[in-house]
Amino acid sequence: MESINDFIKNVKNDEIDIVEHTYKLIEECKEINKEYNYFNTISEELALSQAKEIKKQLKNNDKNIKNKKLLGVAISVKDNICVKDVETTAGSKILQGYKPLFDAHVMQKVKEEGGIIIGKTSQDEFGFGGFSVNVGVGFKVPKNPFDEERSCGGSSGGAAGLSQKLSNHIALGESTGGSIVEPASFCGVFGLCPTYGRVSRYGLIDFANSLDKIGSIGKNIEDVALLMDVISGYDKNDSTSLNVKAENYESYVKKPIKGMKIGIIKEAFGSGVEREIEKNVYNGIEDLEEEGAKAEEISLELPIKYGIATYYMIATSEASTNLAKFCGMRYGAVEKLEGSFNEYFTRVRSSNFGDEAKRRIILGTFARMTGYREAFYLKAMKVRTLMINEYKKAFRKFDALVSPTASILPPKFEDIEKLTPLQHYMIDVMTVSPNVAGLPHLNVPVGFEKNLPIGMLLIADHLQEGKLIQLGSAIEKGK
Ligand code: GLN
């Protein structure tokens, strides 16, 4: 398969007519969407106007045009990231019709580097879910690219599914508790969730401010690294953005891994994990060893045991605060003003939020209430600190930690319907803790079982995304 870097070269050398290519690609997206529901919106007009502009600049031989890192590359955008003049809903009916007047920081970067925005991908409402079935009222559920009766994972389900189906494309995803790596695993693609603060959240519709991260999803590790190069970096508009030196993530692709140390998280294997998944993840570890890495087991007590409880306390507390602004007056859907304020707010929120959003508002509000705050929210924050310390200790010895990304194969929709909310939450047992600790993590496809993909999760210390790319690339090479 042609790599995206080859594609970019061809665009620059005028071997591809970018307008024609983009036109065809949009038609392909429409076809894919009919069957798989990966888009909430296809931004045809924007994509074609960008392509025409690129063509014009190439023809005029404009200064800098040939230095653009994403020239002509199709970029899809999770629907909770604001794109100027393109409907942005975060998968919620309450935001239907909202066209931002500005671009998110990552979108400014993508546009500056010549990326072509093809549309907004489907997701769980506001990111509330792990199967992309909690879509907002009136939205469609994306289907797994390998079996349409199964889930894509979530909440960046549309982004991951599309990454598998569409070539010459990279996706922008977002993760709060696992929403980049888990769908990437279910769809057999790479997904990199960076260190908290590495990529600006300016223009991202908040789920939980202390957890949200924008990252990249793609078919090859090189593509994922390329998009990360473009979007990472300091932004004065985001007070949590890290002011650290830029990295060249692409330089880690194919970099030898000899001597690197991998910690196999003991608690992440064994009971509760499907046998085939374990087997394939161990094959991936063997690939790393063959390339010269050293792997050994490590026991980490907190992440698997307390991750889910800690994460859901923090995430729902922050989500319930964030959703308060959607009250029918300041943001989102508006209805006829009738009755008292309370009646009005209740009516707007009842008809425009889905069930899971309502559940999280109730849970989070409860956890923050006087009297419960100490027992729940503040306790979760303390466990978060303990967890960070435990990880930090492990990273004194290891370059990366490894576990399966998901403990089950992508499930069928009919089976998901039977799950309780708590069982839904458990799908993220492997992924919530690195998110709680703000650590970078990567899904690497390691094999197939029953024609369904299996992913390995690699976690590194803060700002060590490069090591993840290096290791992911070593496994990709072995495939
Ligand atoms: N599945 C988790 C949740 O429902 C994580 C989702 C996410 O990362 N946005 O909160």
Side-chain angles (χ1 to χ4, degrees):
M1 194 180 70
E2 180 192 50
S3 82
I4 286 199
N5 276 318
D6 291 335
F7 168 80
I8 296 171
K9 260 185 229 138
N10 290 340
V11 174
K12 290 183 181 171
N13 299 338
D14 218 14
E15 274 160 47
I16 290 175
D17 180 325
I18 193 61
V19 176
E20 217 173 274
H21 168 83
T22 306
Y23 179 79
K24 278 198 201 130
L25 198 102
I26 292 285
E27 292 306 307
E28 192 181 346
C29 289
K30 288 182 191 164
E31 281 308 305
I32 295 175
N33 205 37
K34 273 188 210 148
E35 202 170 334
Y36 293 95
N37 307 328
Y38 293 151
F39 287 97
N40 286 343
T41 304
I42 295 178
S43 49
E44 179 169 4
E45 216 177 291
L46 174 60
L48 289 173
S49 77
Q50 282 186 288
K52 283 179 193 154
E53 184 58 31
I54 291 173
K55 188 169 174 175
K56 193 172 101 199
Q57 291 189 18
L58 278 169
K59 200 167 154 225
N60 297 345
N61 220 344
D62 276 8
K63 204 168 105 231
N64 284 334
I65 185 79
K66 297 223 165 153
N67 297 332
K68 300 214 181 270
K69 289 191 185 144
L70 292 174
L71 196 69
V73 177
I75 305 290
S76 68
V77 185
K78 186 172 177 178
D79 205 12
N80 56 1
I81 299 171
C82 289
V83 179
K84 188 168 183 275
D85 297 332
V86 177
E87 187 176 29
T88 296
T89 69
S92 182
K93 186 179 174 201
I94 210 153
L95 274 170
Q96 247 170 5
Y98 169 56
K99 289 190 178 167
L101 297 171
F102 68 107
D103 272 321
H105 181 78
V106 290
M107 299 322 303
Q108 294 167 17
K109 296 262 198 170
V110 165
K111 285 183 180 173
E112 273 164 26
E113 293 298 340
I116 293 186
I117 321 294
I118 55 171
K120 310 300 302 292
T121 50
S122 48
Q123 59 165 102
D124 289 290
E125 184 173 18
F126 291 107
F128 301 155
F131 299 111
S132 294
V133 295
N134 297 332
V135 293
V137 181
F139 287 82
K140 289 185 178 155
V141 172
K143 300 173 189 168
N144 193 291
F146 295 95
D147 179 349
E148 291 180 41
E149 286 176 15
R150 292 176 191 266
S151 165
C152 272
S155 61
S156 312
L162 187 68
S163 298
Q164 178 57 251
K165 279 270 164 209
L166 188 70
S167 298
N168 291 322
H169 149 254
I170 322 175
L172 277 172
E174 175 277 338
S175 169
T176 309
S179 279
I180 289 178
V181 288
E182 189 253 2
S185 167
F186 278 9
C187 296
V189 289
F190 288 88
L192 176 61
C193 176
T195 307
Y196 178 77
R198 190 73 184 98
V199 175
S200 168
R201 290 184 294 115
Y202 177 72
L204 169 70
I205 296 172
D206 300 311
F207 164 174
N209 310 45
S210 79
L211 292 158
D212 298 341
K213 284 113 6 217
I214 297 176
S216 61
I217 303 180
K219 233 178 197 164
N220 307 307
I221 192 74
E222 193 181 65
D223 307 346
V224 165
L226 173 64
L227 188 54
M228 274 304 300
D229 268 347
V230 171
I231 61 172
S232 59
Y234 176 67
D235 172 24
K236 65 175 185 339
N237 288 325
D238 172 2
S239 61
T240 57
S241 163
L242 295 172
N243 198 348
V244 289
K245 142 174 155 300
E247 276 262 23
N248 176 355
Y249 292 117
E250 277 188 284
S251 69
Y252 290 90
V253 177
K254 301 202 177 110
K255 192 169 166 185
I257 62 162
K258 193 162 184 315
M260 285 180 85
K261 296 205 179 75
I262 315 293
I264 306 170
I265 305 175
K266 193 172 129 209
E267 290 77 3
F269 293 83
S271 82
V273 182
E274 285 179 18
R275 286 269 305 282
E276 301 96 326
I277 293 184
E278 271 199 22
K279 193 184 81 196
N280 280 278
V281 173
Y282 271 106
N283 288 344
I285 296 172
E286 271 171 30
D287 287 348
L288 294 175
E289 287 179 317
E290 269 165 33
E291 294 289 321
K294 301 236 169 333
E296 108 187 38
E297 236 179 30
I298 174 174
S299 172
L300 286 183
E301 201 202 339
L302 298 173
I304 305 292
K305 201 162 165 197
Y306 298 119
I308 291 284
T310 309
Y311 167 79
Y312 276 93
M313 274 303 122
I314 301 171
T316 57
S317 295
E318 293 183 19
S320 65
T321 319
N322 281 323
L323 294 190
K325 61 178 169 284
F326 300 106
C327 61
M329 303 210 82
R330 296 172 57 212
Y331 286 90
V334 176
E335 286 179 19
K336 196 164 165 227
L337 258 183
E338 254 173 12
S340 70
F341 279 130
N342 262 346
E343 283 161 359
Y344 175 71
F345 296 155
T346 306
R347 204 172 58 243
V348 171
R349 288 162 70 87
S350 302
S351 59
N352 287 290
F353 281 141
D355 289 346
E356 186 56 27
K358 289 175 191 160
R359 181 175 295 111
R360 292 190 186 210
I361 291 169
I362 294 168
L363 261 172
T365 308
F366 179 80
R368 290 185 291 110
M369 264 162 59
T370 324
Y372 295 111
R373 199 178 133 82
E374 289 277 331
F376 297 116
Y377 181 68
L378 293 181
K379 189 172 265 173
M381 294 303 275
K382 287 180 187 162
V383 180
R384 178 183 222 175
T385 304
L386 292 176
M387 219 180 254
I388 295 173
N389 293 344
E390 194 176 34
Y391 275 123
K392 284 281 184 196
K393 204 168 140 210
F395 289 125
R396 274 190 233 139
K397 183 166 177 195
F398 296 105
D399 293 293
L401 301 171
V402 64
S403 75
T405 305
S407 51
I408 55 171
L409 290 166
K412 286 200 165 159
F413 292 118
E414 59 184 42
D415 293 328
I416 296 174
E417 270 171 30
K418 296 179 203 137
L419 299 178
T420 63
L422 204 58
Q423 284 169 328
H424 270 255
Y425 296 172
M426 285 307 290
I427 185 63
D428 293 314
V429 65
M430 306 289 179
T431 63
V432 283
S433 295
N435 280 276
V436 166
L439 296 166
H441 50 288
L442 171 76
N443 177 68
V444 181
V446 284
F448 280 87
E449 215 57 66
K450 302 177 190 144
N451 281 329
L452 296 168
I454 291 173
M456 169 202 261
L457 183 68
L458 287 165
I459 309 166
D461 200 358
H462 294 123
L463 296 172
Q464 300 300 312
E465 288 80 357
K467 287 184 181 173
L468 298 176
I469 292 168
Q470 213 175 330
L471 291 162
S473 153
I475 298 180
E476 185 179 46
K477 189 176 135 196
K479 294 277 156 256

